[in-house]
């Protein structure tokens, strides 16, 4: 382990494993420079802990390059090997960037204790202070990285150093409470999967593979065992403090969550920021929330959303994602805007054709009139609101002993994305409301929501809502969804709005719009036990009968090119 001031002469060639993995990547630009690296540099954290850091640098004629290249900082709790070295560090260094790849405190050999979110601002600032002392650092800095690496970027941007000129946040998080506790529930499947990655991936390939296998083997039992605060432990192999805190503290104002939301960095941002996500990405809502904040702040920004999940964005989507990343960094760190798109926003619009269509837009969301469709007792969904205010029109019984299963959507496994909903919609505890076949295509671009008046006979329940596209053969496929927990003791009808994320989707002519309503999506979300008992310690399961009352309305942002035929009439 070397000190921060020790530099090998000359830098080492890349390890054979990294070179081999880099050669497997397809669709990336040809290299401009050979790459060398300095592994295991020690950067002092804010508290003096040693942050292990690898430095990848461009080399001319296989020799060390002078310090005339900008720097890209990547701070990760997942280790510094795959995929960060071959997919991020080496390709960027090949294009003429110093890349500083660092393990967060308490991970990947770095000193101290990893404490989810609490040290990232201070340690990022300390790393920039170290960079200022390096002879190759030009004072021009960018950042990039996906998932929790997005949080480390936003944490640094809360008090951005003057050297920070650009950020590229790929499928990034900024609010850990919203991630673990969406809509007042607990993100059981994604939460435990993330916890496994955060606690094991930085330990190396074999420990990570073993932890993944253990979670897959033991998760089904954990998801159906009470109390949940104990049941999850065998699946992860250990008790994880931040999982315990997430289970125990539902309120984002609770002191336990202090510092977990770095979203304010975008509210007064001046650092040009490119945001990248997918329509089935677990971080989509957070990406769009930050884009809106950047828009209000007048910050230079760009947005790319593809037909990707959290994992496929880094797989089949990677050539396009890397090209977007490289263009943004070149524009703002190197003064070369030639690779930027003419329009600020590019989104993939699903439906309409087998492969969908890419759309370039001036901004997001585009100007679109809100249109409403109203569910009725006969299972129809129409533009005419014929319901009598206050009258009940639908009821479902949610039994936590036989919870409604999750089918597709934003998940962290290979079941994510659009999926056939036929088996799910055949259940008695899943309500569906469907339009007549559309006469013309209908284009929806922007946030989707449903407003409901709901009551539970026990006073305790969740409401899950999903927008689906039903084709001419009757196959129903999910587009976007959301969940909300009813206020405690809601035995009388209460107004709730289920934010169902956002989409860009074309309902083809002859297709039908479907609204799906149920009591949950398990094990994506922890089942509501039907009681007011704390989630971590609840041991009772009580079925709930949930009744929907008028008024209720599905709100869709319909674009101008979808004006005709949007009434859902046959």
């Amino acid at each position: 382990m070397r000190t921060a001031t020790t530099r090998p002469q000359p830098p080492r060639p890349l390890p054979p494993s990294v070179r081999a993995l880099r050669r497997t990547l397809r669709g990336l630009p040809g290299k401009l420079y050979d790459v060398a690296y300095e592994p295991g540099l020690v950067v002092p954290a804010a508290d003096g802990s040693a942050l292990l850091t690898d430095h990848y640098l461009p080399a001319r004629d296989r020799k060390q390059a002078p310090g005339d290249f900008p720097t890209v900082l990547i701070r990760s709790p997942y280790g510094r090997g795959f995929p960060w070295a071959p997919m991020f560090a080496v390709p960027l260094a090949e294009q003429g960037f110093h890349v500083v790849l660092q393990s967060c405190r308490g991970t990947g050999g770095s000193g101290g204790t990893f404490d989810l979110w609490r040290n990232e601002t201070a340690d990022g600032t300390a790393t920039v202070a170290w960079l200022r002392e390096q002879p190759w650092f030009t004072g021009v800095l960018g950042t990039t990285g996906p998932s929790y690496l997005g949080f480390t970027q936003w944490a640094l941007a809360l008090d951005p150093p003057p050297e920070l000129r650009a950020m590229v946040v790929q499928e990034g998080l900024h609010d850990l409470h919203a991630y673990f506790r969406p809509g007042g529930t607990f993100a059981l499947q994604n939460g435990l999967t993330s916890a496994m990655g955060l606690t094991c991936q930085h330990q190396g390939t074999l420990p990570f593979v073993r932890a993944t296998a253990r979670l897959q083997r033991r998760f089904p039992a954990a998801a159906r065992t009470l109390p949940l605060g104990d049941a999850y432990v065998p699946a992860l192999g250990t008790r994880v403090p931040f999982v315990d805190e997430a289970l125990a503290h539902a309120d984002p104002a609770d002191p336990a969550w202090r510092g977990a939301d770095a979203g304010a960095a975008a509210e007064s941002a001046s650092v040009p920021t490119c945001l990248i996500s997918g329509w089935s990405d677990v971080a989509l809502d957070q990406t769009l929330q930050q884009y809106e904040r950047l828009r209000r702040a007048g910050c230079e920004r760009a947005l790319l959303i593809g037909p990707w999940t959290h994992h496929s964005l880094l797989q089949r989507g990677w050539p396009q994602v890397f090209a977007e990343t490289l263009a943004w960094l070149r524009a703002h760190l190197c003064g070369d805007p030639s690779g930027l798109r003419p329009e600020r926003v590019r989104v993939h619009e699903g439906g309409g054709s087998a492969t969908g269509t890419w759309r370039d837009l001036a901004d997001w969301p585009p100007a679109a009139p809100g249109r409403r469709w109203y569910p009725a007792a006969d299972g129809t969904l129409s533009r005419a609101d014929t319901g009598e205010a206050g009258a009940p029109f639908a009821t479902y019984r949610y039994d936590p002993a036989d919870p409604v299963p999750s089918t597709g959507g934003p998940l962290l496994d290979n079941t994510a994305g659009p999926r056939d909903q036929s088996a799910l919609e055949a259940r008695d505890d899943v309500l569906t409301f469907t339009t007549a076949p559309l006469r013309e295509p209908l284009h929806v671009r922007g946030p989707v929501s449903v407003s409901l008046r709901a009551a539970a006979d026990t006073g305790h329940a969740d409401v899950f809502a999903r927008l689906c596209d039903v084709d001419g053969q009757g196959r129903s496929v999910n587009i976007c969804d959301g969940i909300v927990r009813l206020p405690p003791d809601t035995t009388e009808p209460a107004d709730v709005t289920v934010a169902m994320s956002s989409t860009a989707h074309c309902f083809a002519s002859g297709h039908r719009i479907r609204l799906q309503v149920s009591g949950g999506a398990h094990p994506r979300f922890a089942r509501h036990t039907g009681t007011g008992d704390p989630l971590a310690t609840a041991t009772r399961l009580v079925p709930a009968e949930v009744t929907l009352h008028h008024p209720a309305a599905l709100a869709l942002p319909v674009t101008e090119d979808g004006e005709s035929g949007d009434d859902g009439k046959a």
Side-chain angles (χ1 to χ4, degrees):
M1 186 180 296
R2 295 189 301 279
T3 65
T5 57
T6 301
R7 302 179 71 246
Q9 296 294 334
R12 303 181 187 182
L14 293 175
S17 59
V18 173
R19 293 199 303 268
L21 287 169
R22 169 63 184 91
R23 286 194 293 269
T24 66
L25 300 178
R26 300 289 182 261
L28 301 189
K31 71 177 181 179
L32 304 179
Y33 301 96
D34 288 330
V35 177
Y37 89 134
E38 300 176 288
L41 296 173
V42 177
V43 177
D47 70 343
S49 298
L51 300 178
L52 291 193
T53 302
D54 297 340
H55 172 211
Y56 292 79
L57 60 155
R60 293 191 177 98
D61 298 326
R62 301 189 182 278
K63 298 178 182 179
Q64 182 182 351
D68 56 359
F69 297 105
T71 298
V72 177
L73 173 62
I74 303 172
R75 302 192 63 251
S76 168
Y78 301 110
R80 303 185 308 284
F82 181 82
W84 319 114
M87 289 184 64
F88 288 79
V90 175
L92 286 172
E94 288 177 346
Q95 299 303 312
F97 298 91
H98 290 280
V99 181
V100 175
L101 177 56
Q102 182 179 87
S103 288
C104 294
R105 188 187 302 195
T107 71
S110 289
T113 301
F114 180 65
D115 196 356
L116 188 68
W117 83 71
R118 292 182 174 89
N119 299 311
E120 307 306 354
T121 297
D123 288 352
T125 300
T127 300
V128 176
W130 174 82
L131 282 172
R132 295 184 182 118
E133 299 176 357
Q134 307 313 304
W136 43 265
F137 183 60
T138 64
V140 179
L141 177 66
T143 62
T144 190
S147 198
Y148 187 84
L149 282 69
F151 186 89
T152 63
Q153 294 183 71
W154 290 118
L156 178 64
L158 283 169
D159 185 15
E163 296 88 351
L164 186 58
R165 310 288 178 83
M167 296 167 54
V168 183
V169 182
Q170 301 141 340
E171 55 182 17
L173 301 171
H174 68 267
D175 184 349
L176 276 302
H177 174 273
Y179 178 72
F180 282 102
R181 300 298 305 238
T185 64
F186 179 72
L188 179 60
Q189 187 169 354
N190 290 339
L192 294 192
T193 302
S194 295
M196 182 273 296
L198 286 164
T199 55
C200 296
Q201 188 169 344
H202 66 93
Q203 298 175 6
T205 301
L206 186 57
F208 180 60
V209 170
R210 288 173 175 167
T212 300
R214 178 179 56 227
L215 180 61
Q216 291 176 341
R217 185 172 65 253
R218 298 185 176 180
F219 176 74
R224 300 186 69 90
T225 302
L226 297 177
L228 188 55
D230 294 329
Y232 85 85
V233 177
L236 294 183
T238 185
R239 188 167 288 281
V240 178
F242 63 78
V243 173
D244 289 337
E245 290 183 347
L247 283 167
H249 304 288
D251 187 352
D254 190 292
W257 292 105
R258 187 174 294 118
D261 185 357
E267 292 179 349
S268 58
S270 59
V271 179
T273 302
C274 176
L275 299 174
I276 303 174
S277 190
W279 291 123
S280 296
D281 174 25
V282 298
L284 173 63
D285 289 343
Q286 297 204 25
T287 296
L288 295 178
Q289 184 181 18
Q290 290 300 79
Y291 184 85
E292 173 60 19
R293 285 170 164 165
L294 292 169
R295 186 188 67 80
R296 291 198 304 263
C299 184
E300 187 173 355
R301 63 204 180 276
L303 178 66
L304 173 68
I305 306 179
W308 307 311
T309 67
H310 200 69
H311 287 167
S312 69
L313 183 147
L314 299 178
Q315 297 166 353
R316 62 185 174 88
W318 187 238
Q320 187 170 354
V321 171
F322 184 81
E324 185 90 355
T325 299
L326 180 61
W328 193 258
L329 293 174
R330 277 181 172 162
H332 298 286
L333 304 186
C334 307
D336 176 14
S338 61
L340 294 181
R341 291 183 275 103
E343 296 288 358
R344 182 175 283 128
V345 174
R346 173 170 289 171
V347 299
H348 184 270
E349 184 178 88
S353 68
T355 59
T357 305
W358 285 97
R359 303 283 187 181
D360 288 337
L361 306 171
D363 219 335
W364 184 270
R371 301 294 175 86
R372 292 179 175 270
W373 280 258
Y374 300 93
D378 60 359
T380 59
L381 187 67
S382 69
R383 294 297 309 282
D385 183 10
T386 59
E388 179 183 351
F393 68 90
T395 299
Y396 62 84
R397 183 180 185 271
Y398 181 78
D399 184 357
D402 180 24
V404 179
S406 51
T407 305
L411 291 164
L412 289 175
D413 63 17
N414 59 11
T415 66
R419 299 287 169 178
D420 188 345
Q421 301 291 299
S422 299
L424 185 70
E425 292 173 352
R427 291 176 59 107
D428 292 338
D429 52 2
V430 177
L431 305 178
T432 60
F433 305 93
T434 312
T435 68
L438 299 171
R439 294 175 177 174
E440 300 290 343
L442 182 145
H443 299 262
V444 176
R445 298 177 195 149
V448 176
S449 65
V450 60
S451 57
L452 299 166
R453 285 182 61 79
D457 62 347
T458 62
H460 304 284
D462 292 335
V463 176
F464 176 80
R466 170 170 274 172
L467 178 67
C468 299
D469 185 339
V470 184
D471 66 18
Q473 289 70 49
R475 182 173 182 262
S476 176
V477 175
N478 55 298
I479 300 171
C480 58
D481 58 50
I483 194 168
V484 68
R485 177 148 294 186
L486 297 182
D489 301 315
T490 304
T491 56
E492 296 297 324
D495 293 324
V496 295
T497 297
V498 185
M500 300 161 64
S501 193
S502 296
T503 190
H505 186 83
C506 174
F507 289 88
S509 175
H511 283 215
R512 293 175 289 163
I513 304 167
R514 175 166 290 169
L515 170 65
Q516 188 187 105
V517 180
S518 67
H522 183 265
R524 177 176 158 196
F525 305 107
R527 54 191 169 166
H528 200 308
T529 61
T531 72
D533 300 336
L535 180 63
T537 58
T539 58
R540 298 181 301 134
L541 296 176
V542 178
E545 187 172 279
V546 179
T547 303
L548 306 182
H549 300 250
H550 292 295
L554 169 68
L556 300 180
V558 178
T559 59
E560 291 299 321
D561 50 356
E563 286 271 336
S564 59
D566 68 344
D567 56 3
K569 296 179 181 178

